Amino acid sequence: MITLITNIQELLQIRDSAIKKVSGTAMAVLPSIKNAFLLLKDDCIADFGIMDNCPSIKVDLTIDATGKVVLPTWCDSHTHIVYAGNRVQEFVDRINGLSYEEIANRGGGILNSAKNLNLTSEDEIYRQSEIRLNEVMKLGTGAIEIKSGYGLTVEGELKMLRVIKKLAKNYPIKIKATFLGAHAFPLEYKENHSGYIDLIINEMLPKIAKENLADFIDVFCETGYFSVAETKQIMIAAKKYGLQPKIHVNQFNAINGIEACVNHNALSVDHLEIVTEQDIEVLKNSITMPVALPSCSYFISIPYTPARKMIDAGLPLALATDFNPGTTPSGNMNFVVATACIKMKMTPEEAINAVTINGAYAMGISDTHGSITLGKKANVIISKEVTSFYELPYAFGNNLIDCVFIDGKIVE
Ligand code: NIG
Ligand code: FE
């Protein structure tokens, strides 16, 4: 299948294959070509350039993109889209004054979703999750990381990871799986933390590795959840199975978790609503990508990650949705881009870098995704007619997407 997209008003995020992420002032630059063409051959980007150099070859499909911008699909590096049911009652409880913490302390929150998941069959979880996956693909997401973490039992965690594996097999979207058994302590282990950590290390990890069900390890490193020492213990155990850390940290409290993650070569540290000067220092010159989740801040009314401070200090930043039933029941990356611009004062160029090349880096796929680069995956968004790409975040709450290509095929 060969597709030629012509007369593109602006083709965004053109990169050399050597670029794996962008940091600091480089985030303000979004390389582009105006009046461009783009050639997709099978599942790869085969050629692009100015219209004057547009090849005249036989193609299967020509799309005239006059007045439209074309850019790589979003790389959503942090989601929990595999879950059962929802938590709408907690949403209303929060409106009526309860905090996320108070709801969790009453047995709601993650444990509520875990109860539901363990009562639901693998087929039904697959069915519910597939609906969400289809939805985000239509919204322009072309690569996604999905976590376990609502099982919290050996069977429940394996069930979630098998669903993720099945989705990866059946859908063209690139999927990376993360094992998040350390999401919360089940009630029966409330007073026996080491017992649950033993279960993670000695029962769950070996089984997951044997079935090759995960690419990464995650831990919810937070007061009331997993301590920094417990997080380190789990990162060390997972390393033996080749699982690199991507850690939930600094969502509500800064407890020096970031330093531990950096020291254990974490690929990313995610949430970061609360960030100290020391956290910024330890992230400098590390391989660890900070990831902000503005839809979570929006939905549960907590601070936004101090993106300006971090980028101005020279750090890279990625943005993701955090799609999950409790803190972010939305997988809309278009909203993430808009919210980053509006609430975090990121420029549209910075926000688009954060959801494409840096998002790809945060899930270890920037060799194949996250930019318009020869040989990378034919994953692109064609916008509706716009005056410029600034309209994408400007039209917040609206998705100015005309069509989405994943692996060279239109998402129907
Ligand atoms: O990323 N903070 C930890 N985990 C999820 C929320 C989990 C839930 O409430 O279900 C998050 O926000
Ligand atoms: Fe999360």
Side-chain angles (χ1 to χ4, degrees):
M1 169 89 186
I2 301 181
T3 302
L4 181 64
I5 309 172
T6 58
N7 300 314
I8 303 167
Q9 181 200 98
E10 193 166 5
L11 178 62
L12 301 168
Q13 190 61 306
I14 312 282
R15 296 282 179 184
D16 185 87
S17 60
I19 304 285
K20 308 293 180 214
K21 61 174 175 177
V22 286
S23 312
T25 51
M27 283 192 70
V29 182
L30 189 64
S32 74
I33 301 175
K34 291 194 170 147
N35 194 22
F37 77 91
L38 174 66
L39 185 72
L40 309 177
K41 189 163 178 227
D42 299 326
D43 63 343
C44 285
I45 294 174
D47 196 8
F48 59 85
I50 52 170
M51 270 311 284
D52 289 349
N53 297 335
C54 186
S56 31
I57 52 167
K58 194 173 164 319
V59 300
D60 301 296
L61 175 68
T62 303
I63 296 181
D64 181 357
T66 301
K68 301 174 179 182
V69 297
V70 173
L71 69 165
T73 50
W74 314 129
C75 295
D76 190 352
S77 66
H78 181 138
T79 84
H80 313 243
I81 69 163
V82 168
Y83 59 84
N86 64 42
R87 305 225 299 269
V88 281
Q89 186 54 49
E90 294 180 9
F91 167 60
V92 177
D93 291 344
R94 263 198 315 280
I95 295 170
N96 287 321
L98 287 183
S99 68
Y100 180 78
E101 200 181 359
E102 285 164 337
I103 291 168
N105 290 341
R106 294 197 321 182
I110 295 167
L111 295 186
N112 183 358
S113 288
K115 196 169 150 198
N116 216 331
L117 186 123
N118 282 294
L119 292 171
T120 309
S121 73
E122 193 171 314
D123 285 349
E124 176 58 17
I125 296 165
Y126 180 86
R127 196 192 63 78
Q128 293 183 21
S129 306
E130 177 180 48
I131 293 170
R132 290 185 278 269
L133 190 67
N134 274 308
E135 193 181 284
V136 301
M137 285 164 62
K138 283 191 203 114
L139 289 168
T141 299
I144 193 166
E145 180 258 18
I146 310 175
K147 301 171 191 297
S148 68
Y150 292 122
L152 311 182
T153 57
V154 177
E155 263 322 300
E157 288 297 310
L158 287 171
K159 185 159 78 172
M160 288 189 76
L161 290 166
R162 286 180 190 134
V163 167
I164 299 171
K165 192 171 190 175
K166 195 166 159 199
L167 290 169
K169 185 167 154 261
N170 294 347
Y171 282 84
I173 182 172
K174 178 74 179 175
I175 296 180
K176 286 283 190 176
T178 299
F179 170 47
L180 175 55
H183 201 187
F185 286 97
L187 275 186
E188 56 274 35
Y189 289 99
K190 202 169 169 210
E191 306 303 331
N192 178 17
H193 282 196
S194 61
Y196 186 58
I197 292 171
D198 277 351
L199 190 74
I200 291 176
I201 294 177
N202 299 319
E203 304 252 356
M204 295 182 188
L205 271 173
K207 291 200 167 79
I208 289 163
K210 194 162 168 229
E211 282 187 50
N212 197 15
L213 291 174
D215 303 297
F216 302 109
I217 182 78
D218 193 351
V219 178
F220 187 14
C221 178
E222 181 59 62
T223 310
Y225 293 83
F226 291 78
S227 69
V228 176
E230 290 165 344
T231 304
K232 279 189 206 166
Q233 201 188 340
I234 294 165
M235 288 192 290
I236 290 167
K239 191 176 177 191
K240 295 199 189 98
Y241 300 99
L243 304 185
Q244 195 179 6
K246 281 171 65 63
I247 306 290
H248 279 76
V249 69
N250 288 45
Q251 182 175 9
F252 302 108
N253 299 284
I255 55 174
N256 293 327
I258 292 180
E259 186 169 11
C261 296
V262 167
N263 288 341
H264 286 82
N265 290 320
L267 182 59
S268 72
V269 282
D270 303 40
H271 268 289
L272 316 176
E273 286 84 346
I274 310 295
V275 177
T276 67
E277 296 294 341
Q278 201 207 329
D279 292 328
I280 291 179
E281 283 311 307
V282 300
L283 282 166
K284 281 185 189 166
N285 304 316
S286 76
I287 62 146
T288 307
M289 175 65 71
V291 181
L293 309 165
S295 305
C296 174
S297 300
Y298 175 86
F299 189 70
I300 62 167
S301 304
I302 59 175
Y304 288 90
T305 299
R308 274 274 50 93
K309 215 169 143 182
M310 296 167 74
I311 296 170
D312 294 346
L315 295 183
L317 189 66
L319 292 161
T321 62
D322 199 18
F323 198 169
N324 77 76
T327 68
T328 323
S330 160
N332 189 346
M333 286 291 270
N334 307 278
F335 180 78
V336 167
V337 171
T339 307
C341 294
I342 297 161
K343 294 294 182 186
M344 296 161 69
K345 302 289 172 228
M346 290 173 72
T347 65
E349 289 86 348
E350 288 172 332
I352 291 174
N353 274 315
V355 290
T356 56
I357 191 72
N358 284 1
Y361 179 92
M363 51 178 148
I365 56 167
S366 47
D367 280 342
T368 48
H369 293 76
S371 63
I372 302 296
T373 302
L374 289 183
K376 278 200 184 183
K377 287 288 174 186
N379 284 15
V380 295
I381 295 171
I382 304 181
S383 78
K384 293 194 171 143
E385 283 191 30
V386 288
T387 47
S388 87
F389 73 88
Y390 290 168
E391 264 194 63
L392 303 181
Y394 170 79
F396 82 99
N398 198 351
N399 315 310
L400 300 182
I401 293 179
D402 184 15
C403 73
V404 179
F405 277 81
I406 295 181
D407 277 6
K409 293 202 187 83
I410 292 184
V411 176
E412 301 292 355

